[in-house]
Amino acid sequence: MEQLFTLAGIAIGSSGLSAIVVAILNHHWAKKKNSSGKLDALVEAQKVLMIDRVRYLGSSYIHDGEIALEDKENLAEMYQAYKALGGNGHLSTVMAEVERLPVAEKR
């Protein structure tokens, strides 16, 4: 009979312990998920900033009718970084127009 009480005590104690462990793990995972959400938000914010900057610079160069080689390379790098972050085709038209621009002579 004593063994039965011991086994019952172990079963109740282990289920209580497992409930605590599960609660701690759930809290840890929820916290980690929130951090991931913040990281996703930062990536999205960076993409929006890159869209704005590449579009603005590209439009400026298109308006000028030419682009310096260094500026063209920098713009291409920004565009590649944007695409690496998962950017879609928002900038493909601007970049196609920039590609057609003549390279400005050094001054």
Side-chain angles (χ1 to χ4, degrees):
M1 188 71 160
E2 237 178 82
Q3 288 177 339
L4 184 61
F5 285 125
T6 304
L7 288 175
I10 291 171
I12 291 170
S14 66
S15 67
L17 180 61
S18 65
I20 291 170
V21 169
V22 168
I24 290 170
L25 287 173
N26 281 336
H27 176 71
H28 175 72
W29 290 330
K31 202 170 166 185
K32 198 171 194 175
K33 184 178 179 184
N34 190 23
S35 293
S36 176
K38 286 182 180 180
L39 183 59
D40 291 344
L42 285 171
V43 168
E44 289 303 312
Q46 184 63 37
K47 286 192 318 191
V48 170
L49 288 171
M50 292 175 87
I51 289 169
D52 180 62
R53 188 69 181 152
V54 170
R55 188 173 284 149
Y56 173 79
L57 289 172
S59 295
S60 297
Y61 299 132
I62 292 166
H63 181 266
D64 293 345
E66 62 182 10
I67 185 170
L69 183 59
E70 184 178 317
D71 294 335
K72 191 172 188 176
E73 290 170 348
N74 287 340
L75 202 59
E77 285 180 29
M78 279 191 268
Y79 179 64
Q80 289 306 317
Y82 163 76
K83 291 197 56 117
L85 287 174
N88 55 18
H90 278 104
L91 301 172
S92 57
T93 305
V94 171
M95 290 305 294
E97 290 298 317
V98 168
E99 274 301 311
R100 286 191 267 265
L101 290 174
V103 175
E105 295 291 322
K106 286 189 177 184
R107 297 177 189 190

